[in-house]
Amino acid sequence: AQSVTQLDSQVPVFEEAPVELRCNYSSSVSVYLFWYVQYPNQGLQLLLKYLSGSTLVKGINGFEAEFNKSQTSFHLRKPSVHISDTAEYFCAVSDRNNNDMRFGAGTRLTVKP
Amino acid sequence: EAGVTQFPSHSVIEKGQTVTLRCDPISGHDNLYWYRRVMGKEIKFLLHFVKESKQDESGMPNNRFLAERTGGTYSTLKVQPAELEDSGVYFCASSQRFGTGWSQFFGPGTRLTVL
């Protein structure tokens, strides 16, 4: 079975600063990787996903993530954050049948003015 | 196109009572999933329907939880009787079986509080 570790439970940053949210996974099979975002009082929204091909994946709202198979990581980055990026971010992994999706515990990003 | 909807958005019940949560997936999505997040921990898989059939219910915590998806459209998750540790946010998600089906689309969740 797959598992996901999000290394930081909370990440405070100032507006316009770069940010990296870390995610490591473990799996004995080939996987798909996802980042979801949950804004206050809303459901989970897909930011980006890695299925195959280029290891650098670009998502919505200026976010990108890089799949590193040797380090089993899928860190999320944004070069310059906005106040509106304040939310909780979840890394997830699923097997290639899109079943058995496992989530990390979430990282709460707080962007300060 | 309407997204995944869940009802109610919040529910507060007493220990021992019964609660039924409802999820309406995106129209045409054969796959429907239930997840739960307890006390700020990770979101945990509960079960997966393909149309009306339970594909995987390995995440269901115990027999107080019963999920149904009659007719392969909406799904209900019943907790009977509810216990304090059942409090949390219950998410529903749906995906197509083919095409762009690798993405699960999530509903806003139902926040359940058991007192």
Side-chain angles (χ1 to χ4, degrees):
Chain A
Q2 301 81 246
S3 68
V4 177
T5 303
Q6 290 183 246
L7 297 161
D8 306 295
S9 59
Q10 297 191 56
V11 174
V13 294
F14 288 105
E15 193 173 19
E16 297 183 8
V19 71
E20 178 180 83
L21 306 184
R22 296 179 293 170
C23 172
N24 286 88
Y25 71 93
S26 67
S27 177
S28 57
V29 300
S30 295
V31 296
Y32 296 135
L33 294 156
F34 306 82
W35 275 99
Y36 283 86
V37 60
Q38 185 179 23
Y39 298 105
N41 302 315
Q42 294 186 30
L44 292 163
Q45 180 181 357
L46 181 67
L47 266 182
L48 49 79
K49 59 186 177 184
Y50 171 79
L51 304 182
S52 64
S54 173
T55 56
L56 183 63
V57 181
K58 293 190 183 298
I60 62 172
N61 301 339
F63 283 93
E64 63 180 33
E66 185 158 18
F67 169 56
N68 188 320
K69 188 174 182 180
S70 63
Q71 297 187 5
T72 60
S73 68
F74 191 56
H75 301 331
L76 181 71
R77 303 185 184 99
K78 186 169 182 177
S80 175
V81 293
H82 303 291
I83 299 286
S84 58
D85 292 322
T86 294
E88 192 157 20
Y89 292 78
F90 295 91
C91 182
V93 60
S94 76
D95 64 30
R96 294 206 161 197
N97 291 317
N98 198 31
N99 296 323
D100 197 13
M101 183 173 277
R102 302 295 176 99
F103 286 84
T107 297
R108 190 172 295 279
L109 174 66
T110 303
V111 182
K112 301 179 285 186
Chain B
E1 178 182 321
V4 178
T5 57
Q6 293 186 244
F7 182 83
S9 57
H10 293 82
S11 180
V12 181
I13 61 173
E14 294 190 350
K15 176 182 172 180
Q17 290 186 318
T18 298
V19 63
T20 300
L21 314 180
R22 173 171 170 144
C23 168
D24 285 79
I26 293 172
S27 178
H29 281 195
D30 288 342
N31 294 271
L32 187 150
Y33 308 82
W34 282 99
Y35 296 88
R36 176 173 74 170
R37 189 183 192 203
V38 174
M39 287 291 290
K41 295 186 178 179
E42 69 269 23
I43 299 168
K44 285 195 171 181
F45 167 81
L46 295 179
L47 88 159
H48 169 208
F49 284 99
V50 177
K51 297 185 180 178
E52 67 274 10
S53 299
K54 291 177 184 174
Q55 179 78 7
D56 180 355
E57 53 183 331
S58 60
M60 294 287 264
N62 51 61
N63 59 10
R64 295 185 294 102
F65 288 75
L66 175 63
E68 294 180 322
R69 193 183 182 195
T70 307
T73 55
Y74 71 91
S75 175
T76 58
L77 179 65
K78 180 189 287 187
V79 185
Q80 180 182 28
E83 297 290 344
L84 298 178
E85 64 265 24
D86 300 332
S87 294
V89 180
Y90 290 76
F91 291 103
C92 175
S94 71
S95 70
Q96 288 179 303
R97 192 168 180 83
F98 299 106
T100 59
W102 304 120
S103 299
Q104 294 186 20
F105 296 88
F106 281 77
T110 293
R111 182 173 296 277
L112 174 65
T113 303
V114 182
L115 303 176

